[in-house]
Amino acid sequence: MPIGLDEIKSRLRKFAAVEADGVSPLYEHLASKAAEDDDVAGLLTDARGGEARATLLMATAHRLIQADPIHPLSRYYPSVGGFDGVDSETWPLFRSFLLERAERARAIISTRYTQTNEVRRAALVYPAVTAAAKEAGGKIALLEVGCSAGLLLGLDKFSYRYQCAGGEQLIAGPAKAAVGLHCALDLAPGAVTPKVPKKLTITARAGLDRAPVDLADEDELAWLEACVWADQPDRIRLLRTAAAAQGKQRPDLITGDAVDDLASAAATVPDGPLVVLTSHVLAYLGERRAEFLDALRKLAGDRPLWWVSEEFYAAALEPLVPGRTELAESADQAVLGLVRWDGGAPDVRALARTAPHGQRMTWLGV
């Protein structure tokens, strides 16, 4: 069912006030202005059901400025070499740029999904994946649901440096990795510093996505880059580095539905301990979240299975462990969860609260 204009404008306001606030001055400004502009917000009415999101509008504009980097608007886009901060001309230029290209914008909005491979999230999920591997006996197969281009599937090949508040550093992963990730690590009251193994052994890996991104296709890679926030060029550079590294050993990416095709995707990796990974995916499943959890439970009846989730509490863990209000107290932080089913009953551990782009985590260790 198409989303109405009032709901679209509400989503734009929420994005500006919650997700972009203090993180992306450019996107906070543009989204807040778009929320009051029927013509710009109305472009999202062409989005497929459930896809009318601020991130899709921002990615569409980003893709169009990538294709026209000499336009005056580009001076506000660090991703294409701009260095000006938000000022009184930013919104008028953005509005005219986008509406002059309304037909092209609608074509993108009506055919694309917001797809991200936030490489820094590997630093968030690494402690949970390694914990599952330890419980599994040391070796696991990895299946990422909602994998996009599958860059997180290479998390065992990245190096990690966790900076603790007291000055201690935790270092993991291969020393000469092409991709090096840094993450601030805070401790919740009563929590102890986690043990992060230096090595992770993944015997097989696959990704499942409704529209996997082929990084060998330059247009597909450009769209993936466009989905990264334009005033955070360091994230784009990291994406390109990880994409180049993946080119040496591409994982199997399967086109399919997160619920209907979960079992068949899992069957493509050898029998044995399996870790299913999701990262900011369940919000896109909508009413099918319960079906996804049930599909995981059924899959766990056939083989040892762990689910590592880096998701907002309401989208992932709340149905399994309701009432954990402390996990939902921050609207801009997700929760790192580790779940295993034992005889059909879920054993749920909330390990950390996580920042959306992998820059920081607060360890709970419970």
Side-chain angles (χ1 to χ4, degrees):
M1 179 181 296
I3 304 297
L5 184 58
D6 287 344
E7 173 60 21
I8 288 172
K9 293 167 74 173
S10 175
R11 291 182 178 188
L12 287 163
R13 290 188 195 97
K14 183 177 180 181
F15 172 82
V18 177
E19 295 183 53
D21 179 37
V23 178
S24 172
L26 177 64
Y27 280 15
E28 178 187 1
H29 176 73
L30 296 177
S32 63
K33 292 290 188 181
E36 308 306 323
D37 190 300
D38 288 0
D39 292 333
V40 174
L43 294 172
L44 283 173
T45 58
D46 277 18
R48 288 176 281 192
E51 299 301 318
R53 305 173 188 275
T55 48
L56 181 58
L57 180 67
M58 296 299 124
T60 297
H62 195 185
R63 183 68 187 96
L64 292 173
I65 201 68
Q66 284 177 336
D68 190 6
I70 63 172
H71 190 279
L73 179 64
S74 67
R75 72 176 191 257
Y76 300 105
Y77 276 68
S79 60
V80 292
F83 52 82
D84 285 7
V86 171
D87 60 29
S88 61
E89 295 184 26
T90 310
W91 170 251
L93 277 172
F94 179 86
R95 186 180 191 277
S96 62
F97 174 83
L98 203 52
L99 294 181
E100 286 167 5
R101 296 159 179 77
E103 186 174 343
R104 292 167 62 190
R106 289 184 181 278
I108 294 173
I109 287 168
S110 64
T111 57
R112 287 288 191 178
Y113 300 103
T114 303
Q115 289 183 290
T116 55
N117 251 192
E118 180 47 70
V119 180
R120 291 188 300 183
R121 288 180 187 154
L124 303 178
V125 302
Y126 184 82
V129 175
T130 54
K134 181 179 180 180
E135 294 175 11
K139 298 180 180 180
I140 58 164
L142 182 64
L143 172 64
E144 184 186 5
V145 177
C147 65
S148 191
L151 294 180
L152 290 187
L153 289 167
L155 60 84
D156 57 323
K157 304 181 186 303
F158 304 161
S159 66
Y160 303 91
R161 186 181 298 272
Y162 297 91
Q163 183 64 55
C164 303
E168 180 184 3
Q169 289 189 346
L170 306 179
I171 298 174
K176 296 183 179 181
V179 177
L181 302 177
H182 299 258
C183 180
L185 178 63
D186 300 322
L187 297 178
V192 297
T193 303
K195 294 181 179 179
V196 183
K198 294 185 179 297
K199 183 179 179 181
L200 172 64
T201 301
I202 298 176
T203 58
R205 65 197 82 209
L208 174 65
D209 198 282
R210 57 186 171 180
V213 176
D214 179 6
L215 292 178
D217 185 320
E218 291 186 4
D219 187 59
E220 291 296 295
L221 178 57
W223 174 247
L224 202 61
E225 291 179 358
C227 289
V228 179
W229 298 6
D231 54 356
Q232 299 175 351
D234 56 321
R235 293 174 57 202
I236 295 179
R237 287 193 292 269
L238 189 58
L239 170 66
R240 290 173 180 166
T241 301
Q246 190 203 72
K248 300 175 182 178
Q249 184 181 6
R250 296 192 183 279
D252 293 330
L253 302 183
I254 302 162
T255 302
D257 181 79
V259 177
D260 298 337
D261 299 304
L262 179 64
S264 59
T268 66
V269 296
D271 288 339
L274 175 67
V275 172
V276 174
L277 170 65
T278 66
S279 175
H280 291 266
V281 170
L282 267 66
Y284 295 92
L285 295 185
E287 297 178 356
R288 302 200 73 195
R289 295 171 196 163
E291 295 179 59
F292 177 71
L293 294 178
D294 191 52
L296 284 174
R297 180 186 60 79
K298 292 178 180 177
L299 191 58
D302 299 327
R303 63 192 299 181
L305 181 139
W306 289 257
W307 173 35
V308 171
S309 64
E310 200 266 317
E311 307 274 356
F312 289 106
Y313 170 68
L317 297 187
E318 186 174 31
L320 300 177
V321 282
R324 294 288 301 276
T325 55
E326 79 280 8
L327 299 178
E329 63 185 14
S330 178
D332 62 345
Q333 288 193 326
V335 178
L336 176 64
L338 179 59
V339 182
R340 186 180 184 187
W341 279 263
D342 184 8
D347 172 26
V348 183
R349 283 162 280 178
L351 298 180
R353 287 195 296 270
T354 58
H357 298 139
Q359 64 272 39
R360 178 177 295 274
M361 64 195 306
T362 300
W363 191 255
L364 305 174
V366 295

